[in-house]
Amino acid sequence: MPKGKKSPGTLLLEFIDKYDLNCNWLSKEIKCSQTALRLISLDKSRITTSIAVRLAKYFSTKPELWLLAQMDFDLAKAANNKTLAKALKGISKASKAKR
């Protein structure tokens, strides 16, 4: 992760800790699967829009907080992906149509 950025799982665990909760109880409160929250907390699953909206409602935050954490995490992973880096080398920049 970039410096100063938190992974979605870390962010979720901080909120769970702050409110003295656990994934099982939170999953019941926001009506989603316990497995989904547990995997998010381990950064093994993505925060979906649906989960972001539920977490935002429950914790009185904005869905963007959760979705931006996910996007930052995904971009950090992509920046370190060697296969993607190799593919990017073969992609030229857009220019006016060549006919």
Side-chain angles (χ1 to χ4, degrees), residues 6-24 26 34-44 47 51 55 59 65-66 69:
K6 295 178 183 170
S7 73
T10 299
L11 182 62
L12 177 60
L13 289 173
E14 285 180 359
F15 273 85
I16 286 172
D17 196 42
K18 178 180 178 180
Y19 289 92
D20 197 27
L21 305 172
N22 62 52
C23 283
N24 185 40
L26 179 59
Q34 179 184 0
T35 302
L37 284 186
R38 178 95 38 226
L39 289 173
I40 290 168
S41 75
L42 297 170
D43 291 321
K44 293 188 177 194
I47 291 183
I51 298 275
L55 291 169
F59 290 118
L65 171 73
W66 304 98

Side-chain angles (χ1 to χ4, degrees), residues 47-98:
I47 291 183
T48 64
T49 305
S50 175
I51 298 275
V53 170
R54 293 165 194 247
L55 291 169
K57 167 94 175 165
Y58 186 78
F59 290 118
S60 299
T61 63
K62 293 186 176 193
E64 291 86 350
L65 171 73
W66 304 98
L67 293 172
L68 287 171
Q70 185 63 60
M71 182 183 69
D72 288 344
F73 184 72
D74 291 345
L75 288 171
K77 282 178 34 180
N80 293 317
N81 183 318
K82 292 179 183 184
T83 304
L84 177 59
K86 187 176 180 180
L88 290 175
K89 286 182 181 179
I91 299 174
S92 60
K93 293 187 178 185
S95 60
K96 295 201 178 211
K98 298 175 186 173

